Amino acid sequence: MSHSSPGHRATARKPDDAYLRELGYEPVLTRRMGPFGNFAISFSVISVLSGCMTLYGFGLNTGGPSVMLWGWVVVGAMVMFIGAGLAEVTSAYPTSGALYYQAEQLGGRKWGWYTGWLNLLGLLGAIAGIDYGAALFTGAFLNLQWGFEPTPGKIMVIFLCILALHLALNLFGVRLVSILNSISVWWHLAGVTVIVGALAIVPSHHQSTDFVFGEFVNNTGWSSPLYVAVLGLLLAQYTFCGYDASAHLSEETTDAQVSASRGIIHSIGWSWLAGFVLLAGLTFAIQDYAGTVGTATGVPPAQIFLDALGMAGAKALLLVVIVAQLFCGNAETAAASRMVFAFSRDGALPGSQLWRQVDRRTGTPRKAVLLSVVCAAVLALPSLYSPVAYAAITSINVIGITPAYAIPIFLRVKNRRRFKPGPWNLGSWGVMVGTIAVIWVAFVTVLFCLPQTRPDGGALATVDTFNYAPVALLVVLALAWGWWHKQGSTYEVPAQNFDRSAGEYEDEVV
């Protein structure tokens, strides 16, 4: 898709490093990722085998089958608008900073500053949500295999081990990350095919089409079906997060002005299709709805596998899902660390001089990787004490990263005369697509700050049911505000056409 916007000629493709210098940065990361690898990282981060699976139990209680299936269709369509708007801006500004650099160029330093902090919150929340979900599924597998009791404390230990694995893998360099992501694409597509195929062929009983596409279930404690239905959109909206990974890895991608934009769009499209097939396959195969919701494994899809396929089949499919989730968390760790690196490169984080260092041998911002993993661990700690904390972590991801997607799109619409499109652009459709994207983001941002379950006794919320996401959002905005007043005067994203000398970076490379 490449058209010229009215009044503005699209930027022709330029050599990657030369164009990065025009944007104000001296290339220091290693370009070892091709177009498929760039698509693969976003597809791996979206990961239908992570998002759909880990929140499937939430979906069973919050609207049930009809909301899960139709919600997936609606949310996927709206996310395509967000993705298209973001892809257009990414083509013009393909840097590791991605959203915050785009916002700065189109709206000014403060826009970039707050966008960066929101983006960072969302990315770190995503690592926590993905890897904690993988820990839950690992606990379910161990429960089936050895009778392991998945208590919050034990799940936390598994979670920390998974984080340590992703830390180690990401320290080896972007080439390994790219190879793993490419394997991940085929693992996800084959995994969905195997899971849905097995659930379609093996069980003798399946739910009716009316049940799968029409059954509404409300176990939230709220009386309004409409309120419950929109809350149920969290499953899809959470899953469709992380496609900005293609933008964050653009400084390590060849032909970045086009490859990163296509990576965003293709990852959303293929995930939309694969996720619908997966959700439908799972829901048709439910044998006992109440038993699935209240499963002793702690993971409803594991109970579906168990009821439909028996113990051996359930364990085999759980392993397929767990490996996919590990791929997903690894890709998200890479994306978040590049955001930490880029934000620190411009002095916007406390201790920036440390986090922007790049390892000479691997070309990887290793300390940024370490910081990302430690912050994700801290974000997941409330899961030790609250049964709804996992849903809150996913909400932190959604309400942090989704507004960050919308800000550069909003500024592109608002300042359309300033925007000079890249070689991948929407032409005259850009303003309309961007407007729809921003409206949808405003809606879901409000939605996911709302309480998700209502406790017995009529109280609006208790410690166990409180939605911590808006608190996390306020904390990060307060931190951003405070750091702006302390450090914002020295924060400087380079202006376009400003060439930073390589010598400056040599001092920062270790």
Side-chain angles (χ1 to χ4, degrees):
M1 184 178 294
S2 182
H3 313 283
S4 293
S5 295
H8 292 280
R9 284 189 65 183
T11 304
R13 293 194 202 189
K14 299 180 180 180
D16 289 312
D17 288 350
Y19 189 57
L20 186 60
R21 289 186 180 98
E22 280 188 33
L23 296 176
Y25 293 116
E26 184 64 26
V28 293
L29 299 175
T30 311
R31 266 186 216 279
R32 292 177 178 167
M33 185 175 282
F36 184 81
N38 186 277
F39 150 76
I41 192 166
S42 283
F43 184 80
S44 298
V45 172
I46 294 175
S47 183
V48 295
L49 287 174
S50 178
C52 291
M53 289 293 197
T54 52
L55 279 178
Y56 190 78
F58 174 86
L60 289 176
N61 287 311
T62 315
S66 61
V67 172
M68 280 195 283
L69 271 297
W70 292 114
W72 184 266
V73 172
V74 171
V75 172
M78 301 313 294
V79 170
M80 283 297 286
F81 282 98
I82 302 171
L86 188 60
E88 182 180 48
V89 184
T90 296
S91 181
Y93 306 111
T95 70
S96 294
L99 311 179
Y100 89 83
Y101 179 85
Q102 297 160 9
E104 191 278 339
Q105 291 297 317
L106 291 168
R109 292 192 336 174
K110 260 195 177 178
W111 280 105
W113 180 272
Y114 283 99
T115 302
W117 279 92
L118 284 170
N119 191 196
L120 191 58
L121 170 70
L123 288 166
L124 297 174
I127 299 175
I130 293 162
D131 282 3
Y132 195 82
L136 288 171
F137 272 73
T138 304
F141 174 80
L142 297 174
N143 173 264
L144 295 182
Q145 182 67 35
W146 292 293
F148 173 87
E149 184 185 353
T151 63
K154 292 176 181 176
I155 295 297
M156 182 60 64
V157 171
I158 297 171
F159 166 71
L160 294 175
C161 291
I162 292 171
L163 280 180
L165 171 66
H166 290 151
L167 171 65
L169 290 173
N170 272 271
L171 293 181
F172 282 105
V174 75
R175 180 167 286 173
L176 176 61
V177 171
S178 184
I179 291 169
L180 290 173
N181 289 331
S182 297
I183 297 170
S184 169
V185 171
W186 302 113
W187 185 275
H188 275 80
L189 293 176
V192 169
T193 303
V194 168
I195 289 169
V196 173
L199 293 177
I201 294 168
V202 176
S204 56
H205 168 73
H206 289 92
Q207 298 291 343
S208 68
T209 304
D210 287 345
F211 174 86
V212 172
F213 293 97
E215 183 73 12
F216 180 84
V217 177
N218 176 13
N219 294 329
T220 65
W222 298 106
S223 58
S224 167
L226 178 62
Y227 183 76
V228 173
V230 293
L231 280 181
L233 299 177
L234 175 60
L235 182 152
Q237 190 66 55
Y238 165 67
T239 304
F240 281 115
C241 271
Y243 42 88
D244 58 318
S246 288
H248 288 295
L249 274 290
S250 58
E251 287 185 35
E252 293 157 271
T253 301
T254 57
D255 195 17
Q257 286 179 276
V258 172
S259 297
S261 300
R262 287 179 177 164
I264 292 169
I265 291 296
H266 293 169
S267 63
I268 295 170
W270 281 105
S271 298
W272 193 14
L273 175 62
F276 182 82
V277 171
L278 178 64
L279 288 173
L282 279 171
T283 310
F284 271 113
I286 293 174
Q287 306 295 304
D288 173 9
Y289 200 95
T292 300
V293 170
T295 175
T297 66
V299 177
Q303 192 64 45
I304 294 174
F305 297 160
L306 195 59
D307 294 343
L309 306 174
M311 183 65 77
K315 289 189 286 192
L317 293 193
L318 271 177
L319 281 176
V320 170
V321 174
I322 290 165
V323 172
Q325 292 171 339
L326 294 177
F327 278 130
C328 174
N330 191 61
E332 182 61 37
T333 302
S337 65
R338 274 28 174 213
M339 172 61 199
V340 170
F341 159 76
F343 215 28
S344 300
R345 178 170 60 180
D346 296 312
L349 286 181
S352 285
Q353 203 159 358
L354 201 58
W355 316 124
R356 68 190 176 202
Q357 292 176 357
V358 176
D359 183 75
R360 248 185 228 287
R361 186 175 54 83
T362 62
T364 299
R366 301 180 77 168
K367 291 179 181 174
V369 174
L370 177 61
L371 179 65
S372 302
V373 167
V374 169
C375 289
V378 171
L379 277 177
L381 285 178
S383 296
L384 282 169
Y385 309 104
S386 169
V388 297
Y390 178 68
I393 294 168
T394 63
S395 294
I396 289 168
N397 169 215
V398 170
I399 68 168
I401 212 165
T402 310
Y405 291 161
I407 292 170
I409 300 172
F410 166 75
L411 293 170
R412 177 259 181 272
V413 173
K414 179 173 180 282
N415 302 321
R416 64 196 73 167
R417 299 190 186 282
R418 280 180 60 184
F419 178 65
K420 186 177 181 182
W424 195 105
N425 64 82
L426 299 167
S428 58
W429 292 95
V431 172
M432 186 196 76
V433 169
T435 302
I436 293 171
V438 170
I439 291 170
W440 177 255
V441 169
F443 166 69
V444 296
T445 301
V446 171
L447 174 64
F448 297 131
C449 287
L450 300 175
Q452 295 166 3
T453 55
R454 185 165 187 171
D456 295 333
L460 286 177
T462 65
V463 172
D464 286 342
T465 62
F466 184 71
N467 184 354
Y468 295 92
V471 176
L473 182 62
L474 290 173
V475 167
V476 80
L477 288 175
L479 182 61
W481 178 83
W483 194 245
W484 171 265
H485 284 276
K486 176 175 171 50
Q487 194 75 14
S489 58
T490 62
Y491 162 67
E492 191 69 55
V493 177
Q496 289 192 64
N497 301 318
F498 174 78
D499 185 26
R500 184 181 297 197
S501 71
E504 286 186 50
Y505 275 98
E506 285 298 317
D507 293 336
E508 298 164 7
V509 175
V510 291

